[in-house]
Amino acid sequence: MLTAYGRPNSINAQKVHFCLEELGIAYEWVMAGMEHGVVDSPEYGRMNPNRLIPVIDDEGFVLWESNAIVRYLCARYGAGGLWPEDLQTRASADRWMDWQTTTFSPAFTPAFHNLVRTPEGERDLAAVEAGKRKGEAAAAILDDWLASRRFVAGEAFTMGDIPIAAAAHRWLNLPLERREAPHLERYYREVMQRSAAATALALPVT
Ligand SMILES: N[C@@H](CCC(=O)N[C@@H](CS)C(=O)NCC(=O)O)C(=O)O
């Protein structure tokens, strides 16, 4: 059986959890990272020398890097569905996955860390403000894209929606006032109707 390692409040582990639930395949989840430990063990270091989560072990095939894991799982278990057969649809989904990891999440992560994971008296308010500004600018790009399509790669839910929805979940639930993004908010509400999203994307963000 496939085994996945991660913790529920990690965005990168959430992507894998969300994907596994969407695909409906059997898996075992092992809590790992931060307070759960595991990542410091020699066995874990052999699976992922970065000692980060998530990792999957698919009957002996070990893989780390969350978006690579989502692509692998969708290609293996979701061909024609989460993994679009049409090359250009798949490239579009792929592009949004890369944008999530290189642009969207890095834009607002300093605000997330300071507002959610740092005690009140120790917060860097300038980093919060910069994260809010950059997060709004990135969210506006996504909002504009979603004005004319239901999901990131068109009318069907694909692998591209998994990282984007996980990042939107974090961004839209940060305890701060954000510039409105009506198309992104409509999209997020629709994705959250999916039972896999509701299972993997917990609230509050921690
Ligand atoms: N690029 C990697 C980043 C992995 C990463 O930074 N994971 C974080 C959690 S989101 C981690 O392992 N933090 C240490 C820990 O939880 O012990 C991916 O997408 O999988």
Side-chain angles (χ1 to χ4, degrees), residues 168-184:
H169 175 72
R170 193 168 263 196
W171 167 246
L172 292 173
N173 289 297
L174 275 187
L176 52 75
E177 291 283 316
R178 278 161 301 270
R179 197 190 310 154
E180 280 186 13
H183 309 294
L184 175 58

Side-chain angles (χ1 to χ4, degrees), residues 33-124:
M34 281 170 83
E35 71 273 24
H36 305 287
V38 178
V39 295
D40 296 323
S41 69
E43 297 76 25
Y44 197 89
R46 279 192 287 279
M47 289 198 298
N48 185 357
N50 301 289
R51 298 191 182 278
L52 295 173
I53 52 152
V55 166
I56 60 159
D57 179 343
D58 188 11
E59 293 174 353
F61 174 65
V62 173
L63 192 62
W64 43 265
E65 276 301 328
S66 58
N67 284 358
I69 295 171
V70 170
R71 289 186 184 96
Y72 165 79
L73 290 173
C74 293
R76 176 150 193 207
Y77 301 106
L82 292 184
W83 177 260
E85 295 292 8
D86 177 68
L87 177 61
Q88 292 179 355
T89 306
R90 194 163 70 239
S92 185
D94 225 351
R95 169 260 309 273
W96 285 106
M97 294 174 76
D98 284 359
W99 183 81
Q100 175 275 320
T101 203
T102 60
T103 305
F104 191 21
S105 287
F108 68 79
T109 292
F112 168 78
H113 277 292
N114 275 283
L115 287 172
V116 176
R117 295 197 179 154
T118 306
E120 201 163 347
E122 297 167 28
R123 289 177 187 159
D124 176 347

